[in-house]
């Protein structure tokens, strides 16, 4: 019980989420996948967003979680569960480890497999640049000593903007989208450019020395 209370005092954050109950396997699959694609995480089922313990039937919730992890996550996710207790109320703790081979995808309501990440207490869609960076990590390319004219144009545009979205970068530089996408994957992989995924969008900025 003391462990549960200490978890609840932390509130919701990047590696912890509260759920009153789980009644939508697809929706919970997105949270599980987001944890796996980020830093891992913990679900406390039977706890309201405000931290109030309401309790659940752990067996019922377990079946929904198992279905979400096996049917609506690709590749299938492995989750660990344990039952926690606060007075006479039961809470199901579900933990997910960060996976090495990203991404884990989750099925959305339209039947499309999408990639999600966790940022603070939000489950967000991963940007195509981040997905490209994950692929790059399997086959690293050394950072060049110098950049050509177009590469310098992109870097200068980002620097002058302070932070910029991909769509604005397309408009300002007027370079081909596919070229910029490839370049941004390289820049982020080389840690020349920082990428920040937020609820209001994905922003790029120059990594300061």
């Amino acid at each position: 019980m003391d462990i549960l209370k200490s978890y609840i005092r932390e509130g919701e954050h990047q590696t912890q989420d509260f759920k009153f109950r789980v009644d939508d396997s697809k929706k919970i699959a997105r949270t599980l996948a987001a944890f796996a694609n980020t830093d891992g995480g913990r679900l406390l089922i039977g706890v309201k967003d405000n931290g109030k313990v309401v309790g659940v039937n752990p067996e019922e919730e377990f079946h929904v979680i198992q279905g979400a992890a096996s049917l609506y996550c690709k590749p299938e996710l492995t989750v660990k569960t344990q039952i926690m207790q606060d007075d006479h109320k039961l809470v199901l703790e579900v933990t997910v480890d960060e996976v090495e081979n990203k991404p884990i995808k989750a099925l959305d309501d339209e039947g499309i497999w999408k990639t999600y990440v966790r940022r603070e207490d939000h489950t967000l869609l991963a940007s195509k640049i981040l997905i490209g960076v994950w692929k790059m990590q399997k086959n690293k390319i050394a950072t060049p000593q110098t950049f050509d004219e177009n590469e310098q144009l992109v870097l200068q545009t980002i620097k002058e903007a302070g932070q910029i979205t991909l769509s604005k970068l397309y408009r300002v530089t007027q370079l081909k989208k596919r070229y910029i996408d490839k370049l941004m994957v390289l820049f982020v992989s080389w840690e020349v450019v920082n990428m920040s995924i937020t609820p209001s969008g994905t922003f790029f900025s120059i990594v300061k020395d």
Side-chain angles (χ1 to χ4, degrees):
M1 185 175 70
D2 289 340
I3 295 175
L4 176 59
K5 286 183 176 179
S6 70
Y7 287 162
I8 291 172
R9 279 196 296 269
E10 293 176 13
E12 293 183 304
H13 49 71
Q14 189 153 300
T15 58
Q16 181 165 277
D17 203 12
F18 300 156
K19 295 293 179 188
F20 173 59
R21 66 168 58 91
V22 177
D23 49 18
D24 187 334
S25 293
K26 286 183 182 177
K27 188 174 181 180
I28 205 65
R30 294 168 212 163
T31 303
L32 298 176
F35 280 146
N37 288 328
T38 314
D39 300 315
R42 175 193 308 114
L43 274 175
L44 295 178
I45 305 172
V47 180
K48 286 187 173 182
D49 289 344
N50 62 8
K52 182 180 179 181
V53 176
V54 291
V56 289
N57 180 330
E59 188 174 345
E60 290 179 1
E61 304 299 322
F62 174 78
H63 288 303
V64 178
I65 289 291
Q66 283 295 100
S70 60
L71 298 176
Y72 300 118
C73 289
K74 185 173 72 173
E76 180 177 337
L77 264 181
T78 299
V79 300
K80 291 171 281 190
T81 61
Q82 72 167 338
I83 298 170
M84 309 183 87
Q85 187 169 345
D86 181 17
D87 292 331
H88 300 295
K89 297 170 184 174
L90 301 180
V91 170
L92 182 65
E93 178 194 16
V94 181
T95 54
V96 181
D97 292 332
E98 179 183 359
V99 296
E100 184 174 343
N101 294 317
K102 301 177 178 70
I104 298 291
K105 296 183 179 181
L107 198 64
D108 74 0
D109 293 332
E110 284 73 46
I112 300 170
W113 292 98
K114 293 183 178 178
T115 303
Y116 298 86
V117 291
R118 189 80 175 170
R119 292 294 184 269
E120 296 181 354
D121 59 345
H122 300 284
T123 294
L124 305 172
L125 274 171
S127 72
K128 58 184 175 181
I129 304 302
L130 177 58
I131 295 170
V133 169
W134 286 336
K135 291 178 182 177
M136 275 285 297
Q137 289 172 344
K138 299 173 185 177
N139 186 23
K140 291 185 178 180
I141 299 175
T143 308
Q145 296 298 312
T146 58
F147 297 112
D148 65 25
E149 186 177 339
N150 284 338
E151 291 168 343
Q152 289 181 33
L153 170 62
V154 171
L155 290 172
Q156 187 61 32
T157 302
I158 298 170
K159 185 176 181 179
E160 289 175 357
Q163 66 173 18
I164 194 170
T165 61
L166 204 54
S167 58
K168 189 171 182 181
L169 199 54
Y170 295 152
R171 292 196 305 272
V172 174
T173 63
Q174 296 187 332
L175 296 169
K176 290 182 178 180
K177 292 181 179 180
R178 186 175 295 181
Y179 172 78
I180 291 179
D181 290 349
K182 184 178 179 181
L183 206 55
M184 295 306 291
V185 168
L186 290 170
F187 284 159
V188 173
S189 298
W190 292 333
E191 298 182 353
V192 173
V193 168
N194 180 62
M195 176 174 57
S196 177
I197 300 173
T198 75
S200 57
T202 299
F203 300 90
F204 299 90
S205 58
I206 296 296
V207 174
K208 296 178 180 177
D209 296 331

